[in-house]
């Protein structure tokens, strides 16, 4: 969630406090359920594009480098997968063709 344009620092702090209190009051696991609802059906390639667009502090050379890394490593292997098919072992697994995904459970 990105918000901006608060007229005073006090209003910004009040909004942050409101968000914090809402998260604290939410049932345990609600944040995970919200993420699954938002991103679960999304393909990894689409998610990576959204994530990359949110990296506002990257310089032009860093953006080119990031795109290169994404296009060489995770996107060819995982780009078409839906986000809700990942388990932690997939995320921790090597994604280089030199180190294949042997023994890694790709679908839950």
């Amino acid at each position: 969630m990105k918000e901006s344009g608060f007229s005073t620092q006090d209003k910004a702090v009040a909004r942050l406090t409101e968000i914090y209190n809402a998260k604290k009051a939410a049932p345990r696991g609600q944040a995970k359920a919200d993420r699954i609802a938002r991103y679960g059906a999304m393909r990894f390639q689409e998610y990576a594009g959204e994530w990359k667009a949110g990296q506002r502090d990257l310089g032009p050379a860093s953006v080119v480098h990031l795109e290169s890394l994404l296009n060489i490593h995770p996107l060819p292997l995982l780009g078409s997968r839906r986000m809700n098919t990942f388990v932690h072992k997939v995320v921790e697994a090597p994604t280089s063709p030199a180190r294949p995904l042997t023994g890694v459970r790709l679908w839950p």
Side-chain angles (χ1 to χ4, degrees), residues 20-108:
Y20 172 79
N21 288 334
K23 284 185 177 184
K24 189 175 176 184
R28 196 163 192 62
Q30 184 64 42
K32 182 178 180 181
D34 291 345
R35 280 194 311 275
I36 291 170
R38 180 172 179 185
Y39 299 114
M42 185 183 286
R43 302 228 179 250
F44 178 73
Q45 186 167 2
E46 183 183 352
Y47 176 82
E50 251 187 49
W51 174 82
K52 187 177 67 172
Q55 303 305 305
R56 299 179 294 166
D57 296 331
L58 296 179
S62 296
V63 170
V64 169
H65 181 68
L66 177 61
E67 287 174 351
S68 173
L69 289 175
L70 286 170
N71 290 331
I72 291 170
H73 296 287
L75 291 180
L77 293 171
L78 306 172
S80 64
R81 293 208 30 211
R82 297 208 183 271
M83 293 299 291
N84 61 1
T85 65
F86 287 96
V87 294
H88 72 280
K89 288 184 179 183
V90 172
V91 175
E92 293 171 358
T95 56
S96 167
R99 298 182 328 208
L101 296 170
T102 54
V104 175
R105 193 173 94 194
L106 292 178
W107 278 234

